[in-house]
Amino acid sequence: MKYWNLKKINQSAFEKTGIIPRSMSKLFNRFKQELNPNAEVEALEEFKVAKYQTSTSVKYIIILLVVPILINQMSKIFFLDPLINHLWNKNSSYIFLNSSQEERAFADLQRFEEKLHFEILIGKLDSISVENAQKEMSDKALDIALEYSQESASAIKNILADLISIIIFILILIINKRQFSILRSFINESVYGLSDTAKAFLIILFTDIFVGFHSPHGWEIVIEAILRHFGLPESRDFIFIFISTFPVILDTIFKYWIFRYLNKISPSAVATYHNMNE
């Protein structure tokens, strides 16, 4: 029984798109099942298949999400933290990984100096001497150097830990090919089983978030966070070029998918999408 369920699920996972829309095929299949004298037995078998498909997919999604994250954090705590900290502190002359970090550090020190000078001018620190002001500047510079040194070490840890997580994620996909096929079938059935209005809503939501007129600001924040996460230089030219090209490419791919694939299997959803988008 279990082998039959897996075989049926794997067949649905690799189902090809035909000339007749899937909704029409489902309608004919439903009439055929209602006229079938063994409809109750087959309905029970389909329920068992759907139950097994759902439980297997949920478990596999949890494994795909939880295991790489756990490996990422554990590798940092037990392996990368002591190793990178030892090597980085051993070469204490290295503080910055790129010029962007230096610029941010200089800007932080300059803001502190301007704030200190302003407080002296307004009389808030009228009793402070030149020697004390210089000492505060030196202490702040050391604090900033320590902060950016830790940020540089964390960036190296992030690169290694994320690389390990990606390898683990790929290994899970390779080892559990059958579960991946079941998950893909489950996602297809869940997405294409939605109503036309729900499909159109998700399409509009996706396009507005990633390729909408306000998306460049979000892309800029995300790219800066990613570059800082990996300790890469925050080049404004690269960010602007990425923002001006990638969303356009993504929008083109998405429109091609709607025209080439979704328009065949669910033309009513495409029509609803165009009506809602106007």
Side-chain angles (χ1 to χ4, degrees), residues 89-109:
N89 294 331
K90 187 177 180 181
N91 300 288
S92 57
S93 58
Y94 295 99
I95 299 177
F96 307 107
L97 287 177
N98 54 69
S99 58
S100 300
Q101 287 181 318
E102 292 187 65
E103 293 176 359
R104 288 191 285 117
F106 295 157
D108 293 341
L109 185 61

Side-chain angles (χ1 to χ4, degrees), residues 132-225:
N132 290 334
Q134 189 66 30
K135 184 178 183 302
E136 289 194 21
M137 288 291 299
S138 300
D139 294 339
K140 183 63 178 179
L142 291 176
D143 292 339
I144 292 175
L146 179 61
E147 176 184 352
Y148 282 92
S149 178
Q150 293 175 351
E151 180 181 311
S152 300
S154 298
I156 298 176
K157 299 172 191 176
N158 293 334
I159 294 174
L160 298 177
D162 291 348
L163 181 61
I164 295 173
S165 299
I166 292 174
I167 294 174
I168 296 298
F169 183 83
I170 295 175
L171 288 177
I172 294 175
L173 293 178
I174 294 175
I175 295 174
N176 301 293
K177 291 183 178 180
R178 177 173 294 178
Q179 284 79 359
F180 178 74
S181 299
I182 296 174
L183 175 61
R184 187 173 64 177
S185 175
F186 173 76
I187 294 175
N188 289 335
E189 293 297 329
S190 299
V191 172
Y192 295 115
L194 296 173
S195 63
D196 296 337
T197 305
K199 292 176 184 176
F201 171 77
L202 292 177
I203 292 173
I204 294 174
L205 179 64
F206 178 85
T207 53
D208 285 348
I209 290 176
F210 293 99
V211 296
F213 67 92
H214 57 275
S215 61
H217 303 289
W219 280 111
E220 185 176 355
I221 295 174
V222 171
I223 296 172
E224 288 181 354

